[in-house]
Amino acid sequence: MKDLKEFTIPFVGLKLGKHQFNFELKKAFFEHFEYDEFNDAAINLDVQLEKMSTLLEFTLDFSGTVNVACDTTNEPFDQEIAGAYNFVVKFGEEYNDENEDLLILPHGSYEVNIQQYVYESIVLAMPSRRVHPGVEDGTLKSDILDKLEELSPKATDEEESPEDENTDPRWDSLKKLLTDK
C-alpha cells in the first residue's frame, strides 16, 4: 500500500521537545485502506510528537463523527468517536513494526509515516455494536423496527402458568434442592 504523503512526518530537522501536527480526516482517508464501513467521516486528529535524543514519542488524539449504518435497522446515522493512542519510535538495525506500541526504524531514517497507526486507532475506537440513537430512545420510525416488533415473541397466559401438571418426577426432586436452604 502506498503511503499518504501528508502523514509522513520528517523529524530530522526538529528540535528536541514537543511538536504539534493537526489533520482533518475525511472518507477518502479510509477509502485508501479499502475500508468501506463509513459512509462519511469528519474527524479532527491532533498529533503530538515529543522528540528525545534516542527516541520519538507520539500521541494521537482524535474526535469527530463518522456516518455508519445502524446494526439493527440499517439506517445511516452520525456516530460520535473519540480516542487517544500512544506509541514510541526507536532506532535500530532494521525496520520492525511487530509490536503495536513500538516502531523500530533503521539508523539514518529521517521521517516516519503514521497513517497505519491513525487508521487502526480510529477503527478500533468504534463501538462493536452501532445502534441508531432513535432506536434507543424509541423516536425512530422504521419498517424494519415495525417488522421486528411484529415478529418478537409475546408472553401469553399459557406461558405464564406456573408449572405443567405432568412433570417428570426426576425433575421434581431436583427442584426441591433449589428451595432447600
Side-chain angles (χ1 to χ4, degrees):
M1 178 181 313
K2 196 173 87 172
D3 288 345
L4 296 170
K5 289 182 180 155
E6 61 264 27
F7 293 96
T8 300
I9 299 176
F11 54 82
V12 74
L14 299 176
K15 296 180 181 178
L16 295 181
K18 296 183 179 182
H19 305 276
Q20 285 289 130
F21 302 93
N22 297 313
F23 300 96
E24 294 254 342
L25 304 177
K26 301 289 182 195
K27 184 180 179 186
F29 174 77
F30 297 99
E31 287 173 344
H32 177 76
F33 290 93
E34 297 177 6
Y35 187 76
D36 58 358
E37 289 192 28
F38 295 163
N39 301 327
D40 198 9
I43 301 172
N44 293 319
L45 171 69
D46 294 321
V47 177
Q48 180 177 315
L49 162 62
E50 186 170 357
K51 184 177 180 182
M52 300 176 209
S53 58
T54 60
L55 59 93
L56 307 169
E57 189 173 312
F58 282 90
T59 302
L60 310 176
D61 285 314
F62 56 90
S63 64
T65 59
V66 290
N67 189 283
V68 293
C70 174
D71 290 339
T72 306
T73 64
N74 208 29
E75 295 285 329
F77 73 101
D78 287 336
Q79 171 75 51
E80 295 286 328
I81 187 168
Y85 181 65
N86 299 316
F87 67 97
V88 174
V89 177
K90 286 187 163 191
F91 301 97
E93 295 300 316
E94 59 185 35
Y95 180 87
N96 184 343
D97 63 352
E98 291 174 3
N99 186 333
E100 63 219 26
D101 296 330
L102 176 66
L103 173 64
I104 299 175
L105 294 177
H107 292 292
S109 296
Y110 59 92
E111 63 187 13
V112 61
N113 188 292
I114 61 170
Q115 73 183 16
Q116 188 68 33
Y117 293 98
V118 171
Y119 166 74
E120 288 176 4
S121 60
I122 291 172
V123 170
L124 291 174
M126 285 296 295
S128 58
R129 184 159 160 74
R130 301 168 188 146
V131 180
H132 193 291
V135 172
E136 292 176 342
D137 62 17
T139 59
L140 181 68
K141 300 297 179 210
S142 168
D143 293 340
I144 294 173
L145 285 178
D146 294 340
K147 192 67 173 175
L148 285 172
E149 183 65 32
E150 177 186 320
L151 296 174
S152 67
K154 309 254 187 305
T156 62
D157 290 337
E158 287 179 19
E159 293 175 33
E160 293 176 4
S161 64
E163 293 183 22
D164 198 357
E165 298 300 323
N166 301 326
T167 59
D168 189 345
R170 294 173 291 184
W171 290 110
D172 291 337
S173 31
L174 286 174
K175 288 180 185 175
K176 289 178 188 173
L177 293 174
L178 290 174
T179 56
D180 290 346
K181 293 189 181 193

